[in-house]
PDB file of all heavy atoms in Angstrom:
ATOM      1  N   ASP M 300     -13.455  -3.590 -12.710  1.00 83.00           N
ATOM      2  CA  ASP M 300     -13.549  -2.190 -12.264  1.00 83.00           C
ATOM      3  C   ASP M 300     -13.366  -2.015 -10.803  1.00 83.00           C
ATOM      4  O   ASP M 300     -12.527  -1.185 -10.333  1.00 83.00           O
ATOM      5  CB  ASP M 300     -14.903  -1.620 -12.689  1.00 83.00           C
ATOM      6  CG  ASP M 300     -15.092  -1.673 -14.195  1.00 83.00           C
ATOM      7  OD1 ASP M 300     -14.086  -1.659 -14.955  1.00 83.00           O
ATOM      8  OD2 ASP M 300     -16.241  -1.684 -14.683  1.00 83.00           O
ATOM      9  N   GLU M 301     -14.104  -2.757  -9.956  1.00 85.00           N
ATOM     10  CA  GLU M 301     -13.966  -2.630  -8.517  1.00 85.00           C
ATOM     11  C   GLU M 301     -12.604  -3.040  -8.020  1.00 85.00           C
ATOM     12  O   GLU M 301     -11.966  -2.372  -7.255  1.00 85.00           O
ATOM     13  CB  GLU M 301     -15.055  -3.474  -7.838  1.00 85.00           C
ATOM     14  CG  GLU M 301     -15.059  -3.289  -6.309  1.00 85.00           C
ATOM     15  CD  GLU M 301     -16.149  -4.100  -5.669  1.00 85.00           C
ATOM     16  OE1 GLU M 301     -17.101  -4.538  -6.312  1.00 85.00           O
ATOM     17  OE2 GLU M 301     -16.062  -4.282  -4.424  1.00 85.00           O
ATOM     18  N   ALA M 302     -12.090  -4.198  -8.541  1.00 85.00           N
ATOM     19  CA  ALA M 302     -10.768  -4.682  -8.086  1.00 85.00           C
ATOM     20  C   ALA M 302      -9.697  -3.701  -8.482  1.00 85.00           C
ATOM     21  O   ALA M 302      -8.749  -3.523  -7.729  1.00 85.00           O
ATOM     22  CB  ALA M 302     -10.536  -6.045  -8.686  1.00 85.00           C
ATOM     23  N   LEU M 303      -9.769  -3.081  -9.673  1.00 87.00           N
ATOM     24  CA  LEU M 303      -8.735  -2.092 -10.039  1.00 87.00           C
ATOM     25  C   LEU M 303      -8.804  -0.866  -9.181  1.00 87.00           C
ATOM     26  O   LEU M 303      -7.751  -0.251  -8.893  1.00 87.00           O
ATOM     27  CB  LEU M 303      -8.882  -1.747 -11.504  1.00 87.00           C
ATOM     28  CG  LEU M 303      -8.501  -2.886 -12.526  1.00 87.00           C
ATOM     29  CD1 LEU M 303      -8.818  -2.437 -13.946  1.00 87.00           C
ATOM     30  CD2 LEU M 303      -7.104  -3.306 -12.383  1.00 87.00           C
ATOM     31  N   GLY M 304      -9.993  -0.521  -8.758  1.00 89.00           N
ATOM     32  CA  GLY M 304     -10.161   0.613  -7.766  1.00 89.00           C
ATOM     33  C   GLY M 304      -9.453   0.265  -6.435  1.00 89.00           C
ATOM     34  O   GLY M 304      -8.758   1.100  -5.885  1.00 89.00           O
ATOM     35  N   VAL M 305      -9.649  -0.989  -5.979  1.00 89.00           N
ATOM     36  CA  VAL M 305      -8.962  -1.438  -4.755  1.00 89.00           C
ATOM     37  C   VAL M 305      -7.463  -1.440  -4.986  1.00 89.00           C
ATOM     38  O   VAL M 305      -6.687  -0.994  -4.102  1.00 89.00           O
ATOM     39  CB  VAL M 305      -9.446  -2.882  -4.356  1.00 89.00           C
ATOM     40  CG1 VAL M 305      -8.608  -3.472  -3.295  1.00 89.00           C
ATOM     41  CG2 VAL M 305     -10.888  -2.851  -3.967  1.00 89.00           C
ATOM     42  N   LEU M 306      -7.021  -1.895  -6.156  1.00 91.00           N
ATOM     43  CA  LEU M 306      -5.584  -1.929  -6.442  1.00 91.00           C
ATOM     44  C   LEU M 306      -4.966  -0.508  -6.419  1.00 91.00           C
ATOM     45  O   LEU M 306      -3.843  -0.322  -5.921  1.00 91.00           O
ATOM     46  CB  LEU M 306      -5.388  -2.584  -7.759  1.00 91.00           C
ATOM     47  CG  LEU M 306      -3.935  -2.895  -8.179  1.00 91.00           C
ATOM     48  CD1 LEU M 306      -3.234  -3.724  -7.098  1.00 91.00           C
ATOM     49  CD2 LEU M 306      -3.936  -3.609  -9.520  1.00 91.00           C
ATOM     50  N   ARG M 307      -5.684   0.456  -6.921  1.00 93.00           N
ATOM     51  CA  ARG M 307      -5.196   1.838  -6.861  1.00 93.00           C
ATOM     52  C   ARG M 307      -5.047   2.260  -5.406  1.00 93.00           C
ATOM     53  O   ARG M 307      -4.087   2.906  -5.053  1.00 93.00           O
ATOM     54  CB  ARG M 307      -6.164   2.784  -7.584  1.00 93.00           C
ATOM     55  CG  ARG M 307      -6.108   2.632  -9.084  1.00 93.00           C
ATOM     56  CD  ARG M 307      -7.063   3.636  -9.774  1.00 93.00           C
ATOM     57  NE  ARG M 307      -7.064   3.439 -11.224  1.00 93.00           N
ATOM     58  CZ  ARG M 307      -7.882   2.670 -11.908  1.00 93.00           C
ATOM     59  NH1 ARG M 307      -8.890   2.037 -11.276  1.00 93.00           N
ATOM     60  NH2 ARG M 307      -7.803   2.571 -13.213  1.00 93.00           N
ATOM     61  N   GLY M 308      -5.988   1.896  -4.551  1.00 94.00           N
ATOM     62  CA  GLY M 308      -5.890   2.200  -3.149  1.00 94.00           C
ATOM     63  C   GLY M 308      -4.701   1.520  -2.473  1.00 94.00           C
ATOM     64  O   GLY M 308      -4.034   2.114  -1.624  1.00 94.00           O
ATOM     65  N   VAL M 309      -4.468   0.291  -2.841  1.00 93.00           N
ATOM     66  CA  VAL M 309      -3.266  -0.473  -2.297  1.00 93.00           C
ATOM     67  C   VAL M 309      -2.025   0.218  -2.705  1.00 93.00           C
ATOM     68  O   VAL M 309      -1.112   0.443  -1.875  1.00 93.00           O
ATOM     69  CB  VAL M 309      -3.289  -1.913  -2.794  1.00 93.00           C
ATOM     70  CG1 VAL M 309      -1.995  -2.625  -2.428  1.00 93.00           C
ATOM     71  CG2 VAL M 309      -4.469  -2.714  -2.198  1.00 93.00           C
ATOM     72  N   GLY M 310      -1.914   0.607  -3.958  1.00 94.00           N
ATOM     73  CA  GLY M 310      -0.746   1.330  -4.437  1.00 94.00           C
ATOM     74  C   GLY M 310      -0.460   2.619  -3.683  1.00 94.00           C
ATOM     75  O   GLY M 310       0.624   2.941  -3.271  1.00 94.00           O
ATOM     76  N   ALA M 311      -1.598   3.373  -3.426  1.00 95.00           N
ATOM     77  CA  ALA M 311      -1.452   4.639  -2.702  1.00 95.00           C
ATOM     78  C   ALA M 311      -1.075   4.392  -1.219  1.00 95.00           C
ATOM     79  O   ALA M 311      -0.293   5.134  -0.641  1.00 95.00           O
ATOM     80  CB  ALA M 311      -2.763   5.414  -2.814  1.00 95.00           C
ATOM     81  N   ALA M 312      -1.622   3.370  -0.659  1.00 94.00           N
ATOM     82  CA  ALA M 312      -1.395   3.067   0.803  1.00 94.00           C
ATOM     83  C   ALA M 312       0.034   2.579   1.072  1.00 94.00           C
ATOM     84  O   ALA M 312       0.568   2.823   2.139  1.00 94.00           O
ATOM     85  CB  ALA M 312      -2.414   2.065   1.282  1.00 94.00           C
ATOM     86  N   LEU M 313       0.640   1.832   0.195  1.00 94.00           N
ATOM     87  CA  LEU M 313       1.910   1.175   0.547  1.00 94.00           C
ATOM     88  C   LEU M 313       3.108   2.137   0.613  1.00 94.00           C
ATOM     89  O   LEU M 313       3.974   1.867   1.423  1.00 94.00           O
ATOM     90  CB  LEU M 313       2.183   0.049  -0.440  1.00 94.00           C
ATOM     91  CG  LEU M 313       1.327  -1.173  -0.183  1.00 94.00           C
ATOM     92  CD1 LEU M 313       1.552  -2.234  -1.241  1.00 94.00           C
ATOM     93  CD2 LEU M 313       1.490  -1.731   1.158  1.00 94.00           C
ATOM     94  N   PRO M 314       3.365   3.142  -0.029  1.00 94.00           N
ATOM     95  CA  PRO M 314       2.987   3.519  -1.369  1.00 94.00           C
ATOM     96  C   PRO M 314       3.909   2.825  -2.382  1.00 94.00           C
ATOM     97  O   PRO M 314       5.090   2.748  -2.185  1.00 94.00           O
ATOM     98  CB  PRO M 314       3.180   5.020  -1.403  1.00 94.00           C
ATOM     99  CG  PRO M 314       4.299   5.280  -0.448  1.00 94.00           C
ATOM    100  CD  PRO M 314       4.122   4.192   0.632  1.00 94.00           C
ATOM    101  N   LEU M 315       3.283   2.378  -3.450  1.00 95.00           N
ATOM    102  CA  LEU M 315       4.031   1.786  -4.571  1.00 95.00           C
ATOM    103  C   LEU M 315       3.477   2.313  -5.887  1.00 95.00           C
ATOM    104  O   LEU M 315       2.295   2.557  -6.005  1.00 95.00           O
ATOM    105  CB  LEU M 315       3.837   0.251  -4.561  1.00 95.00           C
ATOM    106  CG  LEU M 315       4.514  -0.575  -3.485  1.00 95.00           C
ATOM    107  CD1 LEU M 315       4.163  -2.052  -3.724  1.00 95.00           C
ATOM    108  CD2 LEU M 315       6.019  -0.381  -3.546  1.00 95.00           C
ATOM    109  N   PRO M 316       4.383   2.529  -6.865  1.00 96.00           N
ATOM    110  CA  PRO M 316       3.910   2.896  -8.192  1.00 96.00           C
ATOM    111  C   PRO M 316       3.040   1.746  -8.745  1.00 96.00           C
ATOM    112  O   PRO M 316       3.264   0.597  -8.483  1.00 96.00           O
ATOM    113  CB  PRO M 316       5.116   3.073  -9.008  1.00 96.00           C
ATOM    114  CG  PRO M 316       6.290   2.536  -8.248  1.00 96.00           C
ATOM    115  CD  PRO M 316       5.820   2.369  -6.811  1.00 96.00           C
ATOM    116  N   LEU M 317       2.051   2.137  -9.498  1.00 95.00           N
ATOM    117  CA  LEU M 317       1.119   1.193 -10.089  1.00 95.00           C
ATOM    118  C   LEU M 317       1.109   1.341 -11.626  1.00 95.00           C
ATOM    119  O   LEU M 317       0.871   2.422 -12.133  1.00 95.00           O
ATOM    120  CB  LEU M 317      -0.317   1.441  -9.577  1.00 95.00           C
ATOM    121  CG  LEU M 317      -1.440   0.608 -10.232  1.00 95.00           C
ATOM    122  CD1 LEU M 317      -1.200  -0.868 -10.058  1.00 95.00           C
ATOM    123  CD2 LEU M 317      -2.781   1.073  -9.691  1.00 95.00           C
ATOM    124  N   LEU M 318       1.415   0.205 -12.268  1.00 94.00           N
ATOM    125  CA  LEU M 318       1.374   0.198 -13.752  1.00 94.00           C
ATOM    126  C   LEU M 318       0.138  -0.629 -14.113  1.00 94.00           C
ATOM    127  O   LEU M 318       0.056  -1.807 -13.741  1.00 94.00           O
ATOM    128  CB  LEU M 318       2.639  -0.447 -14.304  1.00 94.00           C
ATOM    129  CG  LEU M 318       2.633  -0.721 -15.779  1.00 94.00           C
ATOM    130  CD1 LEU M 318       2.520   0.586 -16.586  1.00 94.00           C
ATOM    131  CD2 LEU M 318       3.867  -1.511 -16.210  1.00 94.00           C
ATOM    132  N   LEU M 319      -0.808  -0.023 -14.823  1.00 92.00           N
ATOM    133  CA  LEU M 319      -1.936  -0.721 -15.317  1.00 92.00           C
ATOM    134  C   LEU M 319      -1.794  -0.927 -16.838  1.00 92.00           C
ATOM    135  O   LEU M 319      -1.535   0.017 -17.539  1.00 92.00           O
ATOM    136  CB  LEU M 319      -3.243   0.057 -15.071  1.00 92.00           C
ATOM    137  CG  LEU M 319      -3.702   0.125 -13.589  1.00 92.00           C
ATOM    138  CD1 LEU M 319      -4.949   1.023 -13.473  1.00 92.00           C
ATOM    139  CD2 LEU M 319      -4.011  -1.232 -13.091  1.00 92.00           C
ATOM    140  N   VAL M 320      -1.899  -2.149 -17.218  1.00 91.00           N
ATOM    141  CA  VAL M 320      -1.882  -2.467 -18.675  1.00 91.00           C
ATOM    142  C   VAL M 320      -3.197  -3.149 -19.041  1.00 91.00           C
ATOM    143  O   VAL M 320      -3.880  -3.652 -18.182  1.00 91.00           O
ATOM    144  CB  VAL M 320      -0.655  -3.421 -18.997  1.00 91.00           C
ATOM    145  CG1 VAL M 320       0.660  -2.733 -18.703  1.00 91.00           C
ATOM    146  CG2 VAL M 320      -0.775  -4.744 -18.261  1.00 91.00           C
ATOM    147  N   SER M 321      -3.479  -3.058 -20.323  1.00 89.00           N
ATOM    148  CA  SER M 321      -4.732  -3.681 -20.768  1.00 89.00           C
ATOM    149  C   SER M 321      -4.485  -4.530 -21.977  1.00 89.00           C
ATOM    150  O   SER M 321      -3.521  -4.356 -22.737  1.00 89.00           O
ATOM    151  CB  SER M 321      -5.762  -2.584 -21.088  1.00 89.00           C
ATOM    152  OG  SER M 321      -5.375  -1.935 -22.298  1.00 89.00           O
ATOM    153  N   HIS M 322      -5.344  -5.481 -22.177  1.00 85.00           N
ATOM    154  CA  HIS M 322      -5.289  -6.307 -23.374  1.00 85.00           C
ATOM    155  C   HIS M 322      -5.353  -5.453 -24.608  1.00 85.00           C
ATOM    156  O   HIS M 322      -4.691  -5.697 -25.617  1.00 85.00           O
ATOM    157  CB  HIS M 322      -6.437  -7.338 -23.378  1.00 85.00           C
ATOM    158  CG  HIS M 322      -6.068  -8.611 -22.706  1.00 85.00           C
ATOM    159  ND1 HIS M 322      -5.854  -9.765 -23.403  1.00 85.00           N
ATOM    160  CD2 HIS M 322      -5.880  -8.921 -21.388  1.00 85.00           C
ATOM    161  CE1 HIS M 322      -5.529 -10.704 -22.559  1.00 85.00           C
ATOM    162  NE2 HIS M 322      -5.536 -10.214 -21.333  1.00 85.00           N
ATOM    163  N   ARG M 323      -6.181  -4.416 -24.574  1.00 86.00           N
ATOM    164  CA  ARG M 323      -6.346  -3.501 -25.738  1.00 86.00           C
ATOM    165  C   ARG M 323      -4.986  -2.866 -26.058  1.00 86.00           C
ATOM    166  O   ARG M 323      -4.584  -2.814 -27.225  1.00 86.00           O
ATOM    167  CB  ARG M 323      -7.394  -2.487 -25.469  1.00 86.00           C
ATOM    168  CG  ARG M 323      -7.491  -1.511 -26.679  1.00 86.00           C
ATOM    169  CD  ARG M 323      -8.699  -0.628 -26.629  1.00 86.00           C
ATOM    170  NE  ARG M 323      -9.953  -1.318 -26.550  1.00 86.00           N
ATOM    171  CZ  ARG M 323     -10.521  -2.018 -27.585  1.00 86.00           C
ATOM    172  NH1 ARG M 323      -9.893  -2.132 -28.668  1.00 86.00           N
ATOM    173  NH2 ARG M 323     -11.666  -2.634 -27.388  1.00 86.00           N
ATOM    174  N   GLU M 324      -4.244  -2.399 -25.034  1.00 88.00           N
ATOM    175  CA  GLU M 324      -2.927  -1.771 -25.280  1.00 88.00           C
ATOM    176  C   GLU M 324      -1.945  -2.733 -25.840  1.00 88.00           C
ATOM    177  O   GLU M 324      -1.153  -2.418 -26.725  1.00 88.00           O
ATOM    178  CB  GLU M 324      -2.381  -1.164 -23.983  1.00 88.00           C
ATOM    179  CG  GLU M 324      -3.161  -0.009 -23.446  1.00 88.00           C
ATOM    180  CD  GLU M 324      -2.690   0.333 -22.016  1.00 88.00           C
ATOM    181  OE1 GLU M 324      -2.089  -0.486 -21.325  1.00 88.00           O
ATOM    182  OE2 GLU M 324      -3.030   1.418 -21.591  1.00 88.00           O
ATOM    183  N   ILE M 325      -1.961  -3.949 -25.339  1.00 85.00           N
ATOM    184  CA  ILE M 325      -0.948  -4.957 -25.663  1.00 85.00           C
ATOM    185  C   ILE M 325      -1.280  -5.667 -26.993  1.00 85.00           C
ATOM    186  O   ILE M 325      -0.455  -5.830 -27.853  1.00 85.00           O
ATOM    187  CB  ILE M 325      -0.756  -5.978 -24.548  1.00 85.00           C
ATOM    188  CG1 ILE M 325      -0.219  -5.228 -23.302  1.00 85.00           C
ATOM    189  CG2 ILE M 325       0.159  -7.089 -24.997  1.00 85.00           C
ATOM    190  CD1 ILE M 325      -0.237  -6.104 -22.063  1.00 85.00           C
ATOM    191  N   PHE M 326      -2.564  -6.133 -27.108  1.00 82.00           N
ATOM    192  CA  PHE M 326      -2.925  -6.945 -28.240  1.00 82.00           C
ATOM    193  C   PHE M 326      -3.805  -6.250 -29.282  1.00 82.00           C
ATOM    194  O   PHE M 326      -4.042  -6.787 -30.331  1.00 82.00           O
ATOM    195  CB  PHE M 326      -3.701  -8.230 -27.756  1.00 82.00           C
ATOM    196  CG  PHE M 326      -2.860  -9.076 -26.833  1.00 82.00           C
ATOM    197  CD1 PHE M 326      -3.162  -9.171 -25.486  1.00 82.00           C
ATOM    198  CD2 PHE M 326      -1.713  -9.769 -27.258  1.00 82.00           C
ATOM    199  CE1 PHE M 326      -2.436  -9.960 -24.614  1.00 82.00           C
ATOM    200  CE2 PHE M 326      -0.994 -10.515 -26.437  1.00 82.00           C
ATOM    201  CZ  PHE M 326      -1.322 -10.618 -25.078  1.00 82.00           C
ATOM    202  N   GLY M 327      -4.389  -5.133 -28.906  1.00 86.00           N
ATOM    203  CA  GLY M 327      -5.225  -4.411 -29.857  1.00 86.00           C
ATOM    204  C   GLY M 327      -6.695  -4.792 -29.739  1.00 86.00           C
ATOM    205  O   GLY M 327      -7.518  -4.333 -30.532  1.00 86.00           O
ATOM    206  N   TRP M 328      -7.071  -5.644 -28.750  1.00 82.00           N
ATOM    207  CA  TRP M 328      -8.436  -6.055 -28.535  1.00 82.00           C
ATOM    208  C   TRP M 328      -8.662  -6.368 -27.062  1.00 82.00           C
ATOM    209  O   TRP M 328      -7.719  -6.725 -26.362  1.00 82.00           O
ATOM    210  CB  TRP M 328      -8.837  -7.263 -29.392  1.00 82.00           C
ATOM    211  CG  TRP M 328      -7.848  -8.344 -29.454  1.00 82.00           C
ATOM    212  CD1 TRP M 328      -6.901  -8.507 -30.445  1.00 82.00           C
ATOM    213  CD2 TRP M 328      -7.533  -9.335 -28.471  1.00 82.00           C
ATOM    214  NE1 TRP M 328      -6.088  -9.568 -30.192  1.00 82.00           N
ATOM    215  CE2 TRP M 328      -6.472 -10.099 -28.953  1.00 82.00           C
ATOM    216  CE3 TRP M 328      -8.119  -9.688 -27.245  1.00 82.00           C
ATOM    217  CZ2 TRP M 328      -5.949 -11.222 -28.278  1.00 82.00           C
ATOM    218  CZ3 TRP M 328      -7.589 -10.772 -26.553  1.00 82.00           C
ATOM    219  CH2 TRP M 328      -6.510 -11.519 -27.107  1.00 82.00           C
ATOM    220  N   ALA M 329      -9.902  -6.197 -26.653  1.00 84.00           N
ATOM    221  CA  ALA M 329     -10.271  -6.546 -25.265  1.00 84.00           C
ATOM    222  C   ALA M 329     -10.966  -7.924 -25.273  1.00 84.00           C
ATOM    223  O   ALA M 329     -11.440  -8.353 -26.327  1.00 84.00           O
ATOM    224  CB  ALA M 329     -11.245  -5.496 -24.728  1.00 84.00           C
ATOM    225  N   LEU M 330     -10.958  -8.617 -24.187  1.00 79.00           N
ATOM    226  CA  LEU M 330     -11.557  -9.927 -24.118  1.00 79.00           C
ATOM    227  C   LEU M 330     -12.985  -9.920 -24.466  1.00 79.00           C
ATOM    228  O   LEU M 330     -13.550 -10.913 -25.014  1.00 79.00           O
ATOM    229  CB  LEU M 330     -11.287 -10.607 -22.755  1.00 79.00           C
ATOM    230  CG  LEU M 330      -9.819 -11.044 -22.522  1.00 79.00           C
ATOM    231  CD1 LEU M 330      -9.753 -11.719 -21.201  1.00 79.00           C
ATOM    232  CD2 LEU M 330      -9.308 -11.924 -23.645  1.00 79.00           C
TER     233      LEU M 330
END
């Protein structure tokens, strides 16, 4: 959670588009 918040800030600062994917989206389950 915290690291993804930092990552969103990095994307905004650079600025770069940010694609967030999750295990749930890809595999249908979370770790």
Side-chain angles (χ1 to χ4, degrees):
D300 300 335
E301 183 178 345
L303 290 175
V305 169
L306 188 54
R307 286 181 182 95
V309 170
L313 287 176
L315 288 178
L317 172 61
L318 172 64
L319 288 177
V320 297
S321 72
H322 270 253
R323 178 167 302 290
E324 293 168 342
I325 296 169
F326 300 112
W328 43 262
L330 289 183

